[in-house]
Amino acid sequence: MDNLSVELISTLKGHQNPVFTLENGFFANTLFSGGNDKGVVEWDLETSTFKRILCSVNSSVYSLHLIPETSYLAIGLREGLIMIVDVENQKLVVKLNVANGAVFDIKTLVSKRELIAVGEDGFAYVWCLDNFSLLYQFRIAPTLVRTISISPDERQLAFGSKDGSVHLYDALEYHLIASAAVHTHPVTSLAFDPNGQRLLSGGRDAKLVGWNTHDLSEQLSFIPHMFTVYGIHFHPVHPLFATVSRDKTFKIWDKHTYALLRIVGRDKGFDSHHLSINVGIWTPDGTRFITAGDDKVVRVWEVTI
């Protein structure tokens, strides 16, 4: 990975407030972004231009999730609502309510055709994708749950909560396998290694922890950033991952050795974010990494390996 290079290729401007979430688009070379504005924005990455406001919303957008094998975008809102929007026809399909508080993360269990969401009330909510009926709701933690990760084989779910705990569940019956608390502040990011043998968690304590996926025994722990680790993003092709942070940087790591491969920030000479980076995402082909945050802009980075 000695020849890995990162270059800023475009800066997408238009948001008037911090950006909290990104999602790859349904159409090729498109991207969705959302945050403290009252709308979800779609961008054209080929021309690096604004494409459209997909839909207006009544409160901040905390999560975006394109449901696999569909043209449906799930939009999680601060007001405790999930909007399912047909991107192709730009039409609202259904609104899903949670019992109380904001929706912070949304994922799909493709094999079960189920949509799962978590949020401020500490519960997980599971809907059927065939008719969007609510199938289950169960408490994960007595406090806010910010993040979900699904194992590559879809046999396990992991949740991260405000009390610094990671909760590992069986995805078939939704029963608890193990819980562990090692973060001294809220868990803000989770990601299963693509080989399924390790789960990574990042927290507001600036710590990154590696967990065994059988029993949540701790395998490694180190401090990758100066402040909160807001995202852990494995590359879709190569054995590396990126982390994004409140410290205004993102970093790229070797997933086998955890060696630091690249730091991208203003103090390293990059025209990067000058405030917290809240979110990152790889494009499906892995040629670009996209970041956004409190400075209201979306930056598109070409990563050459």
Side-chain angles (χ1 to χ4, degrees):
M1 298 288 181
D2 292 341
N3 57 347
L4 185 149
S5 66
V6 179
E7 180 184 357
L8 179 66
I9 57 174
S10 62
T11 299
L12 308 178
K13 298 180 179 180
H15 282 282
Q16 301 302 307
N17 289 287
V19 180
F20 301 140
T21 179
L22 299 170
E23 177 63 299
N24 286 304
F26 172 71
F27 301 104
N29 293 307
T30 59
L31 176 81
F32 294 111
S33 61
N36 215 20
D37 294 332
K38 296 301 178 66
V40 175
V41 178
E42 186 175 20
W43 305 90
D44 186 325
L45 295 179
E46 191 168 356
T47 60
S48 300
T49 57
F50 167 85
K51 184 175 180 181
R52 60 176 171 170
I53 299 290
L54 176 69
C55 64
S56 59
V57 295
N58 294 322
S59 64
S60 298
V61 177
Y62 286 155
S63 53
L64 294 171
H65 172 64
L66 187 67
I67 300 173
E69 302 172 3
T70 76
S71 59
Y72 291 175
L73 182 71
I75 303 166
L77 302 174
R78 184 178 63 188
E79 62 185 292
L81 186 69
I82 298 174
M83 296 172 59
I84 306 293
V85 175
D86 185 334
V87 173
E88 199 165 18
N89 299 301
Q90 201 165 0
K91 180 178 72 173
L92 178 66
V93 176
V94 68
K95 292 182 179 180
L96 308 174
N97 290 288
V98 302
N100 183 45
V103 179
F104 286 114
D105 204 359
I106 307 169
K107 293 288 190 292
T108 299
L109 283 161
V110 178
S111 58
K112 296 177 68 181
R113 293 196 54 75
E114 292 176 356
L115 187 75
I116 184 166
V118 295
E120 197 168 357
D121 63 1
F123 278 81
Y125 296 84
V126 183
W127 292 270
C128 172
L129 282 177
D130 294 326
N131 56 18
F132 292 105
S133 60
L134 182 64
L135 299 175
Y136 318 103
Q137 67 181 73
F138 54 96
R139 182 175 288 281
I140 300 295
T143 185
L144 180 156
V145 176
R146 185 174 295 277
T147 183
I148 311 170
S149 185
I150 300 176
S151 65
D153 61 7
E154 295 198 341
R155 293 183 178 181
Q156 292 181 321
L157 289 163
F159 303 93
S161 54
K162 185 179 179 180
D163 60 6
S165 297
V166 174
H167 313 271
L168 185 66
Y169 275 72
D170 170 77
L172 181 62
E173 301 292 341
Y174 296 115
H175 69 76
L176 179 66
I177 298 171
S179 288
V182 70
H183 291 278
T184 57
H185 290 76
V187 177
T188 48
S189 52
L190 285 171
F192 278 94
D193 187 297
N195 66 18
Q197 298 302 306
R198 181 171 287 169
L199 172 70
L200 297 183
S201 65
R204 195 168 291 171
D205 54 6
K207 186 185 293 185
L208 189 144
V209 180
W211 306 91
N212 183 299
T213 56
H214 297 295
D215 57 5
L216 276 192
S217 56
E218 184 180 335
Q219 295 182 325
L220 64 94
S221 178
F222 65 96
I223 304 295
H225 288 276
M226 293 177 62
F227 301 112
T228 308
V229 183
Y230 277 131
I232 304 166
H233 308 281
F234 282 94
H235 194 279
V237 179
H238 296 288
L240 54 83
F241 66 95
T243 55
V244 302
S245 173
R246 183 172 169 256
D247 69 7
K248 312 172 193 176
T249 71
F250 74 89
K251 298 181 180 182
I252 299 177
W253 309 81
D254 184 302
K255 86 167 190 130
H256 296 308
T257 65
Y258 294 86
L260 179 58
L261 303 176
R262 194 70 72 244
I263 304 173
V264 177
R266 286 182 170 258
D267 61 348
K268 295 297 182 180
F270 290 92
D271 181 15
S272 188
H273 299 272
H274 64 273
L275 295 172
S276 171
I277 302 178
N278 298 328
V279 61
I281 192 170
W282 293 100
T283 54
D285 63 2
T287 60
R288 288 167 288 182
F289 188 65
I290 304 171
T291 55
D294 282 357
D295 59 5
K296 311 171 190 177
V297 298
V298 179
R299 297 185 188 270
V300 182
W301 307 86
E302 183 176 63
V303 180
T304 304
I305 301 170

